[in-house]
Amino acid sequence: MDFLCYLHEGWEPLIRPAEPTRAWMDGTPAGFAYRCLPMNIANAHGWEILTPSGFSAYWRGGSTTADVIIRADADMPPAAMPVSLFGQATLTIHIQGLFRTPPGWDLFAAGSPNSAKDGIAPLSGVIETDWSPYTFTMNWRFTRRNHWVRFAAGEPICFIQPTPRDALERMEPKFVPLKDNPEAARQFAEWSQSRNAFQAEVAQTAPASGGDQWQKRYYRGLDMVGEPGVADHRAKLRLKPFVAGTPVPSAAQPVTVDPARLEQALAALVASVRDGTRFDTGLLTAAGLPRATAERIERSTRVSAG
């Protein structure tokens, strides 16, 4: 499916598939931090927008825009220049790109996962990029006053990740006793015992190699009986880079529809036509239909009823 970044004249954003590596992880003994697969996957679970030139920023401790001082390197393009726009100890970067996600998909924007900077922290936002004709800003908030913060050229200043808009709201969170799932309970108990025994053995006898210092079942996607947990287990992400291209026609885009929501939306549409009331087309798009298709269905329904 398409994930588009429309470029206005003069915009030249630097965007790459997010790097799985982190300097602090490189610095751990034998790189042991990379043994944590969930952290590796999180690192690469989106795209990073980079600053084209370096800059330094300083917060004097106040709440006004004048309390943030920014000094950019001489080669900083004007359109990429960080600014003090909102006050409240924040630094703002205008993102050069009008992003367009598939119908029903938002864009989560934040700092790169598992990455920290001394003195400043990234703020997060969720944007409805399947329709919005507006760009967004990436904002960082200082955590230390009277302290210079440095962003080097090519350093990530924003992390973006498309996410289905209604996926969380469709979840039905439930507390369930583990004993109600005997197989999961059995494998959990076996794993717990195995892990305790493994750690005790490692503490008593140093492993011959670094690879012997950790258990690898989850990394390999195997359960406690050695069977694959799922067919699409990932030990590495391979996201595609942004390249010049043209959008795939809407008719050729794959559409995932929620049958229950679609049924409810159609019932609401029929009721609105019958009662002469306004219909919210967003009910159809929330079910997974493209906006143009939803609007066409509403028009056709009203014409047929008229």
Side-chain angles (χ1 to χ4, degrees):
M1 65 180 71
D2 274 347
F3 177 26
L4 308 178
C5 178
Y6 287 107
L7 302 178
H8 189 273
E9 185 177 353
W11 287 354
E12 296 181 348
L14 299 178
I15 308 177
R16 70 184 182 193
E19 294 283 344
T21 58
R22 297 289 183 268
W24 72 266
M25 295 173 70
D26 293 339
T28 56
F32 77 82
Y34 290 110
R35 299 171 190 168
C36 179
L37 181 59
M39 194 155 57
N40 295 347
I41 295 296
N43 289 351
H45 215 254
W47 287 260
E48 291 172 324
I49 303 175
L50 316 178
T51 178
S53 302
F55 65 92
S56 300
Y58 183 93
W59 175 47
R60 297 191 298 189
S63 61
T64 71
T65 56
D67 287 307
V68 173
I69 302 170
I70 302 167
R71 295 178 181 172
D73 293 355
D75 60 347
M76 174 70 76
M81 178 71 184
V83 295
S84 178
L85 185 62
F86 301 113
Q88 309 307 314
T90 59
L91 169 75
T92 298
I93 302 169
H94 292 277
I95 299 302
Q96 300 178 59
L98 181 62
F99 290 94
R100 186 66 78 236
T101 44
W105 285 72
D106 293 336
L107 190 65
F108 176 73
S112 295
N114 302 313
S115 182
K117 289 189 75 68
D118 184 22
I120 199 167
L123 303 182
S124 305
V126 176
I127 309 102
E128 293 182 356
T129 44
D130 58 344
W131 69 268
S132 174
Y134 320 117
T135 58
F136 64 90
T137 61
M138 178 62 196
N139 298 280
W140 291 70
R141 192 167 193 273
F142 288 91
T143 58
R144 286 179 59 188
R145 67 185 69 198
N146 302 323
H147 170 74
W148 282 102
V149 174
R150 176 69 181 172
F151 285 82
E155 183 174 342
I157 45 98
C158 183
F159 177 91
I160 54 175
Q161 178 190 78
T163 178
R165 180 176 303 132
D166 64 345
L168 297 180
E169 294 173 304
R170 283 165 37 188
M171 298 290 179
E172 298 289 344
K174 301 174 182 177
F175 289 115
V176 181
L178 181 56
K179 65 181 181 180
D180 288 358
N181 187 329
E183 178 59 16
R186 183 191 67 77
Q187 291 212 32
F188 170 77
E190 185 177 340
W191 166 79
S192 183
Q193 295 171 4
S194 171
R195 184 177 179 85
N196 290 339
F198 180 83
Q199 291 179 332
E201 181 179 350
V202 168
Q204 183 175 9
T205 304
S209 66
D212 295 332
Q213 295 180 9
W214 56 297
Q215 294 175 298
K216 308 177 183 67
R217 289 192 182 91
Y218 180 80
Y219 201 100
R220 294 169 176 167
L222 302 177
D223 63 14
M224 288 304 297
V225 295
E227 295 294 330
V230 291
D232 58 351
H233 170 72
R234 295 286 194 276
K236 183 178 182 180
L237 295 183
R238 297 172 176 82
L239 275 61
K240 299 175 182 177
F242 278 85
V243 296
T246 57
V248 174
S250 298
Q253 292 274 18
V255 175
T256 301
V257 175
D258 183 329
R261 283 201 166 192
L262 180 59
E263 182 179 355
Q264 295 172 0
L266 292 175
L269 174 57
V270 171
S272 72
V273 171
R274 182 191 63 228
D275 301 336
T277 57
R278 179 181 176 278
F279 174 69
D280 180 7
T281 310
L283 295 175
L284 290 170
T285 58
L289 295 181
R291 183 172 296 274
T293 302
E295 293 173 348
R296 187 167 62 249
I297 289 176
E298 181 182 7
R299 287 195 302 269
S300 299
T301 304
R302 293 193 182 280
V303 169
S304 299

